[in-house]
Amino acid sequence: MIGIKKKNVEYDLEKLKKQMKRKLSDYRYRHTIGVAYTASALAMRYGVDLNHAMTAGLLHDCAKYIADDELIKDCEKYKIEVTDIEKMNPALLHAKVGCYLASKKYHVKDKDILSAIRHHTTGYPDMPILDKILFVADYIEPHRQSLTKLNVIRKEAFIDLDKTVVMILKATLQHLKNKQAVIDQTTQKTYEFYAAKLKEKGNDK
Ligand code: DGI
Ligand code: FE
Ligand code: FE
């Protein structure tokens, strides 16, 4: 019918919860539930489909239980491109493999959800809103513990999402530098993009 907006597909959240409970460790499952509800709270604040936000949250770490060497093998099998940085840090691949599984195994068809899962670890410049929501929810969910002013970041998430992304990436980059870990260019570029965006908005204080 003309003029009637197509309704979004609704995913069965209870079924996804059960599937994740079976696959993930208790610790990872608890985190997953925390991310899903935090993503849904942010979706309320920013006017995003709640079912999609919950689905992205529930599935974002669905490949986290897979060991490093298996992640590499899975990428070969599923023809997923692996960068040199990912070869050095295969754990980063849980996002790309998770995106693949969300699509093929959990039958997620929506590109917005798949994109959010694919990019949830490094982010990327100029993310769509659901990608930003998942990226932030992953960091601030209630069970997450971090030394770096998490209370301030949690509050900011409901005020200015771009500023929150900058705060998270700044802390993550610092953490990676302290550990002398290899930094993925995407993490660095995403930080630079949002830091510049904040400066333009005059909100970089
Ligand atoms: O899967 P989670 O633990 O819930 O969270 P995540 O998917 O954001 O992964 C977090 C880890 O990813 C954290 O230990 C930092 C790491 N990470 C993020 N960006 C980079 C990175 N690790 C490396 N080596 N390089 C990066 O650029
Ligand atoms: Fe993750
Ligand atoms: Fe996570």
Side-chain angles (χ1 to χ4, degrees):
M1 256 183 284
I2 296 166
I4 294 186
K5 202 169 162 232
K6 212 172 123 231
K7 207 173 170 300
N8 272 336
V9 177
E10 285 252 342
Y11 293 96
D12 184 342
L13 302 175
E14 292 312 311
K15 185 173 172 191
L16 289 174
K17 275 186 207 168
K18 279 188 197 132
Q19 288 171 312
M20 289 306 107
K21 193 165 174 51
R22 272 206 303 273
K23 278 281 174 199
L24 304 175
S25 68
D26 289 352
Y27 167 82
R28 186 57 52 184
Y29 179 70
R30 199 178 60 161
H31 162 71
T32 291
I33 296 295
V35 173
Y37 283 103
T38 304
S40 105
L42 290 169
M44 292 175 199
R45 161 69 178 88
Y46 295 105
V48 170
D49 184 293
L50 299 190
N51 180 269
H52 280 201
M54 286 281 290
T55 303
L58 287 173
L59 289 174
H60 83 285
D61 276 342
C62 71
K64 193 79 179 183
Y65 69 95
I66 303 173
D68 283 3
D69 51 338
E70 289 296 323
L71 284 169
I72 298 270
K73 280 189 211 155
D74 283 351
C75 287
E76 280 163 20
K77 193 160 79 189
Y78 306 140
K79 311 248 179 301
I80 299 168
E81 194 204 320
V82 178
T83 65
D84 289 340
I85 303 277
E86 288 165 342
K87 269 181 207 143
M88 284 186 263
N89 295 279
L92 288 169
L93 289 169
H94 79 278
K96 281 183 178 175
V97 174
C99 170
Y100 179 89
L101 294 178
S103 161
K104 302 289 183 221
K105 188 170 172 190
Y106 302 108
H107 312 295
V108 171
K109 295 285 163 267
D110 294 79
K111 297 271 184 292
D112 60 338
I113 300 172
L114 296 174
S115 171
I117 296 172
R118 185 181 172 91
H119 301 107
H120 84 264
T121 302
T122 60
Y124 70 99
D126 211 5
M127 289 181 263
I129 184 77
L130 187 59
D131 293 55
K132 272 194 277 195
I133 285 179
L134 182 61
F135 180 81
V136 168
D138 193 20
Y139 198 85
I140 67 166
E141 65 93 3
H143 309 102
R144 181 77 88 185
Q145 293 189 353
S146 146
L147 298 174
T148 39
K149 48 182 184 163
L150 201 47
N151 55 340
V152 182
I153 297 179
R154 283 184 170 131
K155 192 169 177 190
E156 190 62 38
F158 292 87
I159 301 168
D160 184 330
L161 211 48
D162 287 341
K163 189 168 179 182
T164 313
V165 169
V166 172
M167 291 164 97
I168 291 172
L169 283 166
K170 195 172 179 187
T172 301
L173 286 167
Q174 193 55 56
H175 170 76
L176 292 170
K177 277 175 197 153
N178 292 345
K179 282 204 315 182
Q180 297 187 319
V182 190
I183 289 166
D184 192 308
Q185 265 201 23
T186 318
T187 313
Q188 183 67 38
K189 279 189 181 157
T190 309
Y191 171 71
E192 283 162 17
F193 176 90
Y194 284 102
K197 188 173 176 189
L198 277 197
K199 216 168 185 182
E200 236 169 67
K201 286 203 289 188
N203 193 13
D204 56 334
K205 301 297 170 291

